[in-house]
Amino acid sequence: MFGDPIANPRGFPTRPMIDLVDRARPISYGILMPGPDQSIGINYVRVVDMQDGGINLSGIRKTTVQISKNFRRSLLKTGDLLMSIRGHVGRFAVVPAELDGANITQDTARLSVTGADSVFVRECLRTQGFQYWMRQRTKGVAVRGINLGDVKIMPIITPSATEQEQFARTVRKIEQLRQRAGTALKESKSLFASLQQRAFRGEL
């Protein structure tokens, strides 16, 4: 629909990421030391939890209320966009309703996108062109990372709101289909394993 967002062959207007973020909730990284996992507390998202543009809720850990409160600058709201900035730079995820009020670690930046559709921005940043743009600005030896200063200037193309919404609807439909297919595959494997065990026990 839009072409490579860095080359921008269709000449869409571009805006730096900082202009698309809620000024009351600026781009921030999260908790430095979340401590041992808590049975009761505040959920926080790690880079490892960010998979395929979403968040794997099964591995979410909890930190204490006080630690999260000390880093309230990075508290999450539904629809926020997350970006990994250390280690595996360039993973992205949109925050689901289940993690409203959760937090993040220092390896992740929160982008409270309000000036564009967060799904559109996520997919824009996941393109090969933008992944290369980020690799060019990723530094470090033992632990690779990108500075928030570079995150703030990422040039985001801004098609019309209608085009962004149309694109986002299509992406969400595809994600729903993939989720259903994944669930069906798991059920099929479980059924096969059950039948296999019964067969070896001579129950079939």
Side-chain angles (χ1 to χ4, degrees), residues 64-138:
T64 67
V65 173
Q66 186 58 51
I67 290 176
S68 181
K69 186 177 180 180
N70 291 341
F71 291 87
R72 53 184 175 273
R73 70 188 183 202
S74 54
L75 288 173
L76 305 181
K77 290 185 178 180
T78 303
D80 282 345
L81 179 61
L82 303 183
M83 172 184 176
S84 60
I85 57 173
R86 282 164 49 94
H88 296 283
V89 174
R91 290 188 185 182
F92 297 90
V94 174
V95 175
E98 293 91 334
L99 292 176
D100 192 277
N103 217 314
I104 52 176
T105 67
Q106 64 175 327
D107 301 327
T108 305
R110 184 205 62 205
L111 312 174
S112 53
V113 178
T114 58
D117 186 287
S118 57
V119 172
F120 167 79
V121 175
R122 179 193 69 184
E123 294 306 308
C124 178
L125 295 172
R126 293 176 72 191
T127 60
Q128 289 185 353
F130 242 113
Q131 290 289 314
Y132 178 76
W133 188 95
M134 286 182 282
R135 284 197 300 272
Q136 294 294 99
R137 290 158 179 82
T138 299

Side-chain angles (χ1 to χ4, degrees), residues 86-87 139-145:
R86 282 164 49 94
K139 303 172 183 178
V141 180
V143 179
R144 304 275 288 167

